[in-house]
Amino acid sequence: MAVLGTPQGSTVQQRERIDKTRLSVSKPPEGATDAERFLPMLDRQIARRGVPPRQTAADGGYASRDNLKQAKARGVQDVAFHKKCGIAVADMVKSQWVYRRLRNFRAGVEAGISVLKRAYGGARCAWRGLDHFKAYIWSAVVAHNLMLFARLKSP
């Protein structure tokens, strides 16, 4: 999970898999830290898919021993936090190789968010309200996807 924060306090979480990208917009409670938002995001993902993800990678702000323990209790096999915060890699994932792969995958997700922020105006949303914010972000995502389609070369 990668996160794009906005001035109004709304959050965009981008979840990517090899075959598809999911963009989720939510309004966290006032003053909630990243560590406090990790489990609700995970629960929402489990509710949508019906099963927990096999692996998840998250920014260091989400790292805590409690989040690791709760994610494992929910059925996630490998949980990779970018900053370890005193948690051993062996406690998070089954091998150093898996940790490196998940960490690098998360870096790729962050690159996608960076494109939305730099090229499509996602860094600052002047529209008020969560519904307007969602429309603003979705328009940036659609514009980005149209550019990707335009760059495709026919076989």
Side-chain angles (χ1 to χ4, degrees):
M1 284 177 258
V3 176
L4 166 68
T6 66
Q8 282 98 9
S10 299
T11 302
V12 176
Q13 291 110 17
Q14 183 177 4
R15 292 173 189 84
E16 289 196 16
R17 295 187 340 207
I18 299 303
D19 58 339
K20 73 167 81 168
T21 299
R22 293 186 181 167
L23 189 69
S24 172
V25 180
S26 66
K27 180 84 170 165
E30 280 296 317
T33 65
D34 283 349
E36 294 167 343
R37 296 187 330 210
F38 179 75
L39 293 174
M41 284 190 299
L42 183 60
D43 289 338
R44 199 169 69 223
Q45 183 72 7
I46 292 169
R48 285 183 176 173
R49 294 184 62 221
V51 295
R54 185 170 47 93
Q55 299 171 318
T56 186
D59 189 75
Y62 295 102
S64 76
R65 290 190 186 279
D66 185 53
N67 282 346
L68 176 63
K69 187 171 120 182
Q70 294 291 331
K72 296 270 186 171
R74 286 167 169 77
V76 181
Q77 293 175 13
D78 298 312
V79 181
F81 295 116
H82 184 69
K83 294 177 187 166
K84 299 175 197 135
C85 297
I87 304 170
V89 171
D91 294 338
M92 290 190 276
V93 296
K94 60 185 168 192
S95 71
Q96 183 69 35
W97 182 84
V98 170
Y99 178 77
R100 229 177 9 260
R101 295 285 298 210
L102 288 173
R103 187 192 62 205
N104 292 345
F105 178 77
R106 192 196 68 79
V109 171
E110 293 288 344
I113 289 175
S114 178
V115 168
L116 286 176
K117 288 173 80 172
R118 287 181 301 105
Y120 298 99
R124 175 122 174 101
C125 176
W127 300 359
R128 298 281 180 208
L130 184 60
D131 288 336
H132 294 132
F133 172 73
K134 287 179 182 181
Y136 188 85
I137 293 299
W138 278 113
S139 66
V141 170
V142 169
H144 175 62
N145 287 341
L146 287 173
M147 286 301 297
L148 291 177
F149 289 137
R151 290 181 187 156
L152 288 176
K153 297 183 188 225
S154 59

